Every structure is written in structure tokens, then in C-alpha cells.
Amino acid sequence: PRNYDPALHPFEAPREYIRALNATKLERVFAKPFLGALDGHRDGVRSLCKHPTALSLLLSGACDGEVKVWSLAKRSCLQTIQAHEGMVQGLCMHQSGRYFFSVGNDKTIKQWSLSECGQIEEEPQSTILGKTNIVGSCASDRSIILYDMRGAAPLRKVILKLRSNTIAWNPMEAFIFTVANEDYNLYSFDMRKLSMPVTVHMDHVSAVMDVDYSPTGREFASAGYDKVVRIFPADRTHSREIYHTKRMQRVETVRWSLDNKYILSGSDEMNIRIWKAQASEKLGVLKPREKTAFNYNSKLKEKFAFHPEVKRISRHRHVPKMIYNQQKEMRIIRQSQKRKEANRRKHSKPGAVPFVPERKKSIIKEVE
């Protein structure tokens, strides 16, 4: 039993603040997210696919048309097939885990049979598509189109200023999806109202190539043409984490593992990299005292999260010089545009220059 009377603990707040500060510093000291790389492709990795029932199996498609099956536990390739004549644009696994689909630049969609041990049959099966799904697509005319496969016409369509590359659906909120766009941003939409995105996620300094949600639906990872992987909270504008290495080139695809512990990225220099979802997390079996200490520290960091010194330390990240300079330049451009708009509004008639929310600036038109 403990008496929680604050008069008996006059130095509790200062003592807990020092503990929170030390916990935040230790978190940054032990933040080493990179775990390893899967080497074996002969061309850039274009797409990744998770197995819905086997956590250790991963499928990858390359620009030379090869599809590989990987064992993440052994970090080795189990099988390689020549699936398409051109680039493998996408891979999609069925929920049963018994077969998957591949989409190639040779204008074909192929269905492949997959055994429980990760072996693919050499010849593809016929393609079978269900008729009870809502499908989202990104088109080269800068539009995002939603289809109901039970009907003949598309449900809705929204046109953005630049082209979108990928769509990812939130696994916990059926109506929410996020698109990776060429204008360096990601947009989270509610499919019931496409006139304006729910949130605009901005931190990349080049085109965003891919996006994938965590199994909890609270965060997602994005792959950028600026050679980095970022992790965004689903309801925040800015990223909480940035992952990069010296050798990593343009990141084409990213996937979040179904156990919510790892992030997999494929890039142009033919490597698949494995990262920790929580950069400072200790892997392996934890003792009860360690669990108690980690939980206590996390609550302290949450309690003092908005204290200036704790916030400064927890937000600090080392980024490549190119990204640092690009972020500085984009900040100057954004400030200049705001100043120009404010001056134009100041010297115009009232209402002549309306206020346009940041979320509406990228939307050109919504088609019902």
C-alpha cells in the first residue's frame, strides 16, 4: 500500500521528469532499427507481398520479371520463378495463403499456387476474381477510382493535381485508405467523402512510391524516391521515424509485417532490408523486471511528451545531407507562398482571395 498524498511526496514531479528525460535519451541511444538485408535479386525490387498465415514467408517481384519466395527466419531464398516477361508491378496474396496473383508489364495477371512450405508451382493457374469486393485503383490520368465489382460502372472518382502511385486500405477502419502521391505527400481519404482528404501527411522530399499499414491500423510506412522509409501515425501530419542507410537507393516498395514488429523495404539496388518497427525496441525474451521498467519509462515519456527538452530530444533525427537541404528549401518555398498569398489578400477586396485549406489544395475534381 502507498499513500498518494502529494504533501508526502514533494519532489515526485521533478524526480519523474528527470527519469523521463533519461528514458528519452536512452531511447535515442539504443535506436538501431536496421536488422539485415536479403540479397539475391538481379534487378531492382519492385513489389513485396506478405503471407497472411505464415509470418516468416515473403514474396518479392523484381524489374526483370522474377518472383522470389523468402524465408525471413533463415534470411534465405526458397524458390525463384520467372513469372513475367517484363517488370512485376504488383503481388497480392489470397487470405487462405494457398495462392497469389502477380501483375506484370506484359499486360497479364497470373494466379500461382503456393504450398504451405512456400513452394510455387512452375505453371500458373487460371485467374479467378471474386465479385463482392470494393476495389481502389490509381490511374495515370491522376485519378483515384473506386469500383464495386458487382456493378458495371465505377462508384466514385477523384482527380488530384499529380499522379498517385499506390493505395493502402486501413485494416481496422474499413472506409479509410491512404494514397502515395507524386507531389511528395500522402493523403488519407474517407471513401464516403472524397471531396477532401481526412489528413495530409507531408515529410518526404520526393515522390512517394508505396505505402502499407500496420496490422493495428494506427500507423503506416511509406517508401520514398528520396531513398528513405518513413513511419507516420495514421492521424498525424508529420512522420515519427525516418530510416535510411548509406547504400540504399530509391525505395520502390515497403511492407509492414503481420506481427507488428518489422518493416520490409525493397529498393533499386536489388536489396530487401529488414527494419524494426520500434527503433529502440529490445528483441528477444524479456524478464519481468525489464518489462516493468520499459512500461514505466513509456508512461513517463508519454506524461512529459510536450515538455520542451523531452520533445526536442525525442524529435531529433540524423538525416542525409541531401534531405536536410531539400527540407530547408521546401520550408523556404512554403513560407514564401504563404507570405505572397497574405500580401495578395491584404491588397485585394474582401473575399476576392478566399482561404483554401491545405487539404483542398491538391484536389481538382470529384466525380460521383
Side-chain angles (χ1 to χ4, degrees):
R2 181 185 171 193
N3 191 340
Y4 287 94
D5 183 7
L8 299 176
H9 306 278
F11 297 108
E12 183 176 18
R15 186 165 59 243
E16 286 193 338
Y17 165 69
I18 294 299
R19 288 176 180 172
L21 195 62
N22 291 337
T24 307
K25 290 177 180 178
L26 286 175
E27 181 189 14
R28 301 315 314 148
V29 168
F30 290 110
K32 294 178 174 59
F34 181 67
L35 293 176
L38 305 176
D39 191 11
H41 276 292
R42 296 175 296 180
D43 208 335
V45 181
R46 182 69 180 177
S47 54
L48 294 175
C49 181
K50 302 173 287 189
H51 197 283
T53 57
L55 290 176
S56 61
L57 287 183
L58 176 74
L59 275 71
S60 64
C63 293
D64 56 0
E66 283 188 348
V67 172
K68 286 181 178 286
V69 184
W70 300 89
S71 170
L72 295 178
K74 299 177 181 177
R75 296 190 187 179
S76 61
C77 178
L78 300 179
Q79 189 182 0
T80 304
I81 59 168
Q82 186 67 36
H84 295 274
E85 293 182 3
M87 191 182 299
V88 181
Q89 291 283 13
L91 294 171
C92 178
M93 182 77 70
H94 189 262
Q95 288 298 320
S96 65
R98 293 197 297 266
Y99 54 90
F100 68 94
F101 297 94
S102 63
V103 182
N105 264 6
D106 53 2
K107 303 179 183 178
T108 60
I109 301 174
K110 296 182 180 180
Q111 178 188 353
W112 305 85
S113 179
L114 185 67
S115 66
E116 293 182 359
C117 58
Q119 292 298 315
I120 308 174
E121 288 188 3
E122 293 296 331
E123 294 297 325
Q125 299 177 349
S126 59
T127 301
I128 302 172
L129 294 176
K131 295 188 177 181
T132 57
N133 296 327
I134 289 179
V135 178
S137 67
C138 300
S140 58
D141 61 351
R142 302 169 297 164
S143 64
I144 303 165
I145 309 173
L146 298 181
Y147 295 93
D148 188 343
M149 296 185 67
R150 294 168 291 187
L155 288 177
R156 288 181 179 178
K157 177 179 177 180
V158 59
I159 302 173
L160 279 69
K161 284 188 176 180
L162 291 179
R163 191 183 74 173
S164 298
N165 291 316
T166 316
I167 284 182
W169 292 86
N170 191 322
M172 291 298 170
E173 297 182 67
F175 297 105
I176 303 296
F177 65 90
T178 300
V179 295
N181 200 272
E182 293 275 346
D183 64 355
Y184 310 173
N185 296 335
L186 297 107
Y187 300 94
S188 291
F189 284 93
D190 189 327
M191 63 171 288
R192 297 166 293 186
K193 183 184 178 183
L194 295 179
S195 60
M196 186 170 64
V198 179
T199 313
V200 180
H201 312 275
M202 49 175 76
D203 261 346
H204 282 282
V205 295
S206 190
V208 189
M209 305 303 295
D210 199 10
V211 57
D212 191 42
Y213 268 93
S214 68
T216 61
R218 295 182 177 182
E219 296 180 318
F220 60 83
S222 63
Y225 211 68
D226 50 4
K227 309 176 186 178
V228 298
V229 175
R230 288 185 181 269
I231 302 175
F232 289 85
D235 56 348
R236 299 289 179 87
T237 301
H238 297 287
S239 63
R240 71 160 176 86
E241 202 64 74
I242 175 172
Y243 292 163
H244 57 89
T245 64
K246 288 184 178 179
R247 291 187 63 243
M248 188 161 71
Q249 296 301 310
R250 298 172 300 198
V251 189
E252 297 280 355
T253 179
V254 66
R255 288 294 177 270
W256 201 306
S257 69
L258 291 176
D259 60 353
N260 201 31
K261 283 186 173 291
Y262 306 102
I263 292 172
L264 307 155
S265 66
S267 48
D268 260 1
E269 87 293 347
M270 304 174 284
N271 270 347
I272 300 171
R273 288 180 170 81
I274 308 171
W275 312 84
K276 288 191 286 187
Q278 301 292 334
S280 59
E281 182 183 12
K282 183 181 178 182
L283 300 181
V285 180
L286 296 179
K287 296 179 181 179
R289 289 184 64 184
E290 288 181 313
K291 287 184 180 179
T292 305
F294 283 136
N295 292 335
Y296 179 58
N297 287 339
S298 66
K299 287 297 180 184
L300 285 177
K301 287 183 286 187
E302 184 179 334
K303 180 179 178 181
F304 293 93
F306 296 101
H307 192 280
E309 190 67 12
V310 176
K311 187 177 181 180
R312 182 188 66 81
I313 295 172
S314 63
R315 287 181 58 187
H316 178 73
R317 297 291 182 276
H318 287 288
V319 297
K321 189 175 181 181
M322 180 270 294
I323 293 180
Y324 179 81
N325 292 334
Q326 285 282 341
Q327 285 178 333
K328 188 177 178 181
E329 183 179 343
M330 288 174 63
R331 200 178 305 120
I332 294 172
I333 292 173
R334 204 172 289 123
Q335 290 173 354
S336 173
Q337 289 174 345
K338 286 184 179 180
R339 191 166 56 247
K340 185 177 181 180
E341 186 177 342
N343 290 337
R344 188 176 293 161
R345 189 175 291 113
K346 186 190 300 182
H347 298 286
S348 301
K349 292 181 180 179
V353 183
F355 287 93
V356 180
E358 191 70 31
R359 293 186 294 168
K360 276 193 173 182
K361 288 181 179 178
S362 60
I363 304 297
I364 294 178
K365 185 181 179 183
E366 182 190 9
V367 182
E368 292 286 344

